[in-house]
Structures are given as structure tokens and as C-alpha cells.
Amino acid sequence: MAVQEIDVIVIGAGVAGLYALHRMREAGLSVQCIDAAPDIGGTWHWNCYPGARLDSPSYTYQYWFSDEVLNEWEWSERFPAQPEIKRYLKFVADKFNLHPDITLDTRIRSAIWNAEQARWLLTSESGEQWSTRFVISCVGMLSAPNAPKFPDADKFKGQVLHTARWPQQGIDLTGKRVGVVGVGATGIQVIQTLATEVADLYVFQRTPQYAVKMNNYPLDKEQLDYWRAQYPAMKTDIHTTFGGFEWKLRELGEAAEMTPQQRREILEEAWTDGSLKMWVGVYPEMLADPEINAEASEFVREKIRARIDDPALAEKLIPRAYGFGTYRVPLETSYYDAYNRENVHLVDVKENPIQRFTEKGLLVGDTEYELDVLVFATGFDAGTGALTRIDVRGRDNRSLDELWHQDIRSTLGLQVHGFPNLFTVAGPLAPSTAFCNMTTCLQQQVDWVTDAILYLRDNQLQQMEPTREREDEWVAHHDEVASMTLMMQTNSWYTGANIEGKPRRLLSYIGGVGEYRAICDEVRESGYQGFALG
Ligand code: NAP
């Protein structure tokens, strides 16, 4: 097969990839967007499990670049379900006629840097090849599924599913005995949805969560008009907040001066909002000061306790080993109510881990749980996994996989020293890895990458790469900010703890979306100081 010559390859046709494709085309560059999936949508394509739903308010989770899209698209709910987000992405792709430049069903196997030509050679699983000046990776921070390898999997006669590879045509679980391993944001959505559908639901829980009650409602015309009137201000304001949402954190120090009662009133108000405001829209001390965090944790525990009929069961569902907000906060609607049902059974696998599959189900301690279907809601190799599954070789044949298996580093989460012209949208060490309303951060990063590529083009430059010194500085700053919080004290995908052997580092920059954007803007204004251009 002939090698195809092109200016830019975008890997991934999700929220970021579609926007990157649009920006590159607008800039007059030749570009192909390549995705392994049979359809566009990225995360919103793959995660079609029962109950999959957005937990950012829809009116903040959108593209801001087109007033036409903003005016025409009508969100049906504050927190819409997965099919609606996928429809939205298709609507945008149709409107801008993106399809001709998207190649689906194509998984990139390797990306090799050719220093002489200053170009990347990309090869797909089926042997197609592209020679490209720039690679914009939009592979997603939560797209490489992770599942535990329990022994004897081949013996199990039932069906095993992972939430991130759910059959697109759906699957009827009515009347079945279903097990769910994992109670993160995904497991919670699955469990509350399946509880009323299946005969018996066995929830294998290792670490309970502090889930916040979601306040979802249909958006009527009046509400849509209200939000549309906010859009012009919102499209800039959300870039200045801590989490890329419309909520603003109080100034650092304010909460410490308050009485516990005053802080409680703030928490009650955020709780009533029924959103992630409880997490990223109250006060910064909640994620940094152990006492203030303990207070907030107790507040949420009370709310959970009040929902569960059996006090002993409630205690099992209430987290104690870590503080509220230090593990990604899930939203729920009927998750805790599900445990008041007779067909839902909680199996604590913390003390007594799952041992192995059997022919009929799972063995936990001495007890065999008979199942027709086992669902893994066990998350992802986050931040790095989707890129390290590709054989990426930079200057001097260095391997990104090897690097990130020793030390997860990057510059602004956007580039990695040793890998010229590779841009890692939603890469590790940026807010977009975890602490951001994704559409806000992905668009900001794609805009930054676009500016960088146009700068190179306009200055007849071929390549760009952060210096080792600049990268060291960014990593040190990232770690310093992380160490001022409580985040590293909790084991989760945020710290790489969910993957055996993964180096520990907070995967996402926690200095705030506004602060991060200012730093990125400064780098651009300085003519990319700290980056070697050539
Ligand atoms: P996750 O947060 O990593 O949760 C994985 C779950 O699987 C945890 O409960 C984990 O327990 C459990 N687990 C893993 N291995 C296990 C084992 N061997 N035995 C028992 N339990 C095991 O993954 P996720 O729920 O898919 O969520 C990932 C992220 O996706 C979220 O944090 C969120 O950012 C995003 N998400 C967003 C939405 C939304 O916007 N609506 C919905 C879903 C997901 P431990 O905690 O003990 O490790």
C-alpha cells in the first residue's frame, strides 16, 4: 500500500478529535481523523452501557465555536443520556461535513518519528500508512478499558461484558442474574439502571463511593432560552473557573474563616443543586484541608445514611477510608434506593476478594455467586493507556510506552520531550485528564495546538518539542500543586493506583482550569519559550 502524505493526522473521533479536525481544515491543512471505532463519538460511542449519562450540565458541555450550533441544538435534559450526546456529536459532524476526512474502523498500531524528514509515519493494524508532519492525539483519557484477570475465566459459562465495550445493539437482561464488579461513576449508573430490570443483581464492591444525588430535569423552552442568553458570557467565563464549569470556587482562606455552620449552609446549597458543584464549586479547602474535608465527608455520609433502610447495609455503603472529593465524585439518582430492593445484593470484596471464576459464576471466599452475566465496570488505564497501547517512537527511537511506564511526564499535558510534533490532547498532567468539564478543556487544548501548528507554518518552521528543562519545570510545578491537596492520599485512577505497576503521580493538573489556561496563553504569547522550534 502506498504511504499517504498529509499535513496532520488526528487520532480519535470523539469530542476533541472532531474539533481538531474542524480546526485543521479551517486552517487549510490537509488532515485525516482516524478512529478504531465503527462510528464517531469516542467515549460517547463506546460507553453505551445501561444508564450511561452525562454528569456535566448539558448547557456547559458543548462546542462554543459555532453560534449556529449553539442556537440550533436543543438539549432535552440538564444531564442527558448517552444517545443524546452521540446525536449531538453527529449533528456537529454533519453540519461541518467532517465525514469525508474521517477514517473509521482503523486502529493505529505504531507512530514512528523520522528525524531526517521531520515527519511521523503512522501504520494501522491493517497496514495502511500515513506520513504526516503533525500528530494530534485525541485518544481520550478514559478509553483504554481495564478489567481484572480473575483466574478460570474460560470456565465461566455465562457472558462477560465490560461497560466500555457494551454491545451497540444493547442486550436484554430482563429476568437474568447479573453481577457487577466496580462501583465507580460507571458502576453506579449501571447498578441503578439494572436494579429494576434484572432478576437478581449482585454488586461486588471493594471501595464504596460518596455519590451525590443528581438533580436532573427536562429543559423546557424557557430554560433553554435562559441558558442561550448566558452563552456569550459563559463561553469565556467557564475558562476562568476551577473546574471548567459555570461554578466558581470561593477564594482560598474564606472557608477556613467560616464557622462549621456557615460551611454547612454552603454544602446544603450545593447539595440542592444536585451536581458536581458539590465537588468543584464550593471552597478549595475541601480538597486540601483535612479537617474541612472531614466535615464535608461527614455531611455526605449523613445524606447517604438517610437513603438506606438497613443501617448495617448503610455502613457498608458509606466510605470511611478516604475523604470526599479525593476519588472522582459520581452523581446518582436511584443508586442508594437500589439497595432497599430485595433483588439487589451487596457483596463486600474488600476483606474477601474475588478469587476466581467458576462454571456458574464467581467465587468469593467460600461462597459461589451464580450468574448469567458478569459486568466489569472496572474502569480504564487512564490518561496514558490509550497512547501507550500504540507503539509510539520519538527521537532516537525512544518509546513513549517505556517512558510512561517509568515516569509519567509531559509539558502542560500537551507535548512530551523527545516526541516532536506529537500533541497529546487530554494527555497526562493537564486539567483535561480529570479535573475539568471535558468540553471546556478539550477545546482550549485543541485551540492551543492549532495556534502552535499555525505559528510553525507561518514562520516556515518544521518542528516543535519541549526542552527537558521546561518539562522538568512543569512536572515539578504539577507535583507541588498536587502535594498541596489531599488527592495523592486516595487510591484511584487519579493516581494510577488502579493499574498494577503504573508509576504514581496525580494524572491531572489540579491548579485549576483558569490558571492552566493562563499558563498556556503565556507560553503562546512568548513565542513558545521552553520549546525547541526548528
Ligand atoms: P473507576 O472509577 O476506576 O471505578 C472502577 C471500579 O472497579 C472501582 O469501584 C474499583 O474498585 C473496581 N474494581 C477494579 N478492579 C477490581 C477488582 N479486581 N475487584 C473488585 N473491584 C474492582 O472506573 P469508572 O467507574 O469506569 O469511572 C472512570 C471515570 O470515567 C470516572 O471517574 C469518570 O471520570 C468517568 N465517567 C464519567 C461518567 C459521566 O460523566 N457521567 C460516567 C462514568 C464514568 P476500587 O475503587 O477499590 O479500585
Side-chain angles (χ1 to χ4, degrees):
M1 266 182 265
V3 177
Q4 301 166 59
E5 297 280 329
I6 200 153
D7 295 329
V8 185
I9 291 283
V10 175
I11 313 178
V15 171
L18 293 175
Y19 182 51
L21 168 60
H22 171 68
R23 292 289 332 256
M24 292 300 113
R25 281 203 336 194
E26 290 264 286
L29 294 156
S30 63
V31 52
Q32 267 293 304
C33 174
I34 299 173
D35 199 300
D39 204 352
I40 65 166
T43 224
W44 295 110
H45 166 76
W46 291 112
N47 289 274
C48 60
Y49 58 81
R53 187 172 287 279
L54 183 64
D55 63 8
S56 297
S58 51
Y59 37 80
T60 66
Y61 191 93
Q62 48 188 347
Y63 292 118
W64 298 104
F65 67 90
S66 158
D67 286 339
E68 239 178 281
V69 171
L70 287 168
N71 287 328
E72 284 175 28
W73 181 259
E74 308 230 314
W75 293 108
S76 72
E77 288 179 277
R78 188 185 189 207
F79 298 110
Q82 172 265 338
E84 183 165 335
I85 327 286
K86 197 171 167 190
R87 277 202 303 280
Y88 169 70
L89 295 174
K90 287 197 161 190
F91 169 78
V92 174
D94 288 345
K95 187 155 203 70
F96 294 93
N97 192 27
L98 299 181
H99 299 284
D101 292 324
I102 301 176
T103 304
L104 295 169
D105 276 316
T106 302
R107 184 174 289 281
I108 298 296
R109 187 181 63 208
S110 65
I112 314 286
W113 174 250
N114 181 322
E116 263 169 45
Q117 297 171 0
R119 294 180 78 83
W120 285 95
L121 180 70
L122 268 61
T123 305
S124 75
E125 295 282 3
S126 59
E128 266 180 288
Q129 291 195 306
W130 296 263
S131 163
T132 179
R133 175 75 67 211
F134 301 104
V135 176
I136 308 180
S137 161
C138 298
V139 292
M141 73 300 297
L142 291 159
S143 53
N146 176 52
K149 292 191 172 42
F150 300 134
D152 296 338
D154 54 328
K155 295 207 171 102
F156 180 49
K157 295 268 189 282
Q159 191 174 7
V160 179
L161 298 166
H162 192 290
T163 48
R165 289 293 177 271
W166 203 263
Q168 289 292 321
Q169 70 282 11
I171 169 166
D172 185 8
L173 297 174
T174 320
K176 298 248 162 68
R177 297 164 305 174
V178 178
V180 178
V181 182
V183 296
T186 303
I188 283 174
Q189 292 185 334
V190 172
I191 291 159
Q192 66 187 9
T193 307
L194 292 187
T196 55
E197 291 173 20
V198 303
D200 280 292
L201 186 62
Y202 294 88
V203 178
F204 299 94
Q205 169 190 276
R206 197 163 58 182
T207 310
Q209 290 285 341
Y210 294 95
V212 169
K213 177 100 175 145
M214 174 188 270
N215 180 14
N216 194 15
Y217 43 79
L219 294 174
D220 59 21
K221 181 165 178 336
E222 203 181 316
Q223 280 157 324
L224 280 173
D225 287 347
Y226 169 81
W227 286 112
R228 282 220 177 90
Q230 314 303 314
Y231 287 168
M234 198 188 249
K235 69 168 100 168
T236 39
D237 287 355
I238 55 169
H239 286 291
T240 64
T241 62
F242 173 71
F245 296 96
E246 76 269 38
W247 312 301
K248 292 197 167 61
L249 277 185
R250 280 167 184 75
E251 291 295 323
L252 185 65
E254 261 186 67
E257 297 291 312
M258 292 176 191
T259 63
Q261 181 55 30
Q262 285 170 321
R263 285 193 293 269
R264 190 176 172 95
E265 281 161 22
I266 293 169
L267 294 181
E268 283 290 2
E269 188 275 325
W271 186 268
T272 310
D273 193 64
S275 63
L276 295 177
K277 183 175 184 183
M278 252 314 278
W279 180 42
V280 292
V282 285
Y283 31 78
E285 286 85 350
M286 192 165 86
L287 300 180
D289 179 320
E291 278 180 34
I292 292 179
N293 178 270
E295 204 177 80
S297 303
E298 198 44 45
F299 174 89
V300 182
R301 287 188 200 114
E302 274 176 39
K303 300 284 186 193
I304 298 173
R305 200 173 282 119
R307 295 274 295 286
I308 300 154
D309 298 343
D310 173 356
L313 182 62
E315 290 316 305
K316 286 191 187 158
L317 287 162
I318 289 174
R320 301 211 164 270
Y322 66 99
F324 175 72
T326 61
Y327 199 128
R328 162 62 145 82
V329 174
L331 298 186
E332 58 84 34
T333 47
S334 56
Y335 175 65
Y336 293 113
D337 311 308
Y339 293 97
N340 294 330
R341 298 174 59 87
E342 290 202 340
N343 68 327
V344 177
H345 319 282
L346 183 70
V347 184
D348 185 345
V349 295
K350 179 82 179 172
E351 295 305 319
N352 226 350
I354 296 167
Q355 291 188 10
R356 60 177 172 86
F357 278 98
T358 65
E359 209 172 286
K360 293 183 183 159
L362 277 184
L363 190 70
V364 181
D366 295 334
T367 313
E368 183 181 32
Y369 292 90
E370 294 190 9
L371 306 168
D372 301 306
V373 178
L374 181 68
V375 177
F376 280 128
T378 44
F380 303 88
D381 182 356
T384 53
L387 250 184
T388 54
R389 288 176 191 194
I390 299 173
D391 185 16
V392 180
R393 304 264 163 184
R395 264 190 305 107
D396 311 319
N397 200 35
R398 66 186 75 189
S399 151
L400 189 61
D401 181 39
E402 276 166 28
L403 174 69
W404 279 352
H405 270 93
Q406 288 155 14
D407 187 15
I408 297 175
R409 38 189 307 123
S410 79
T411 305
L412 300 167
L414 283 163
Q415 279 211 290
V416 184
H417 174 68
F419 298 84
N421 290 4
L422 168 66
F423 295 96
T424 52
V425 173
L429 279 53
S432 55
T433 327
F435 303 127
C436 189
N437 175 27
M438 290 317 304
T439 49
T440 306
C441 285
L442 297 179
Q443 287 173 89
Q444 179 264 336
Q445 289 196 315
V446 168
D447 287 339
W448 191 91
V449 170
T450 307
D451 288 343
I453 289 177
L454 295 187
Y455 181 87
L456 295 178
R457 181 183 73 178
D458 296 345
N459 290 282
Q460 286 85 48
L461 295 162
Q462 312 284 310
Q463 52 181 302
M464 164 170 185
E465 177 194 340
T467 62
R468 176 74 197 196
E469 294 70 33
R470 180 67 184 98
E471 192 152 288
D472 286 345
E473 258 174 52
W474 179 250
V475 174
H477 169 68
H478 169 92
D479 287 350
E480 192 191 345
V481 179
S483 71
M484 284 155 40
T485 73
L486 305 169
M487 306 308 290
M488 284 307 286
Q489 297 176 16
T490 299
N491 284 338
S492 81
W493 67 263
Y494 277 4
T495 59
N498 67 325
I499 303 293
E500 219 186 310
K502 190 162 175 167
R504 292 296 179 95
R505 170 161 279 146
L506 192 62
L507 277 172
S508 188
Y509 178 64
I510 195 166
V513 168
E515 183 65 26
Y516 173 79
R517 186 191 173 93
I519 296 169
C520 290
D521 287 353
E522 231 176 82
V523 170
R524 187 191 55 219
E525 297 317 317
S526 73
Y528 303 95
Q529 246 178 38
F531 289 73
L533 310 179

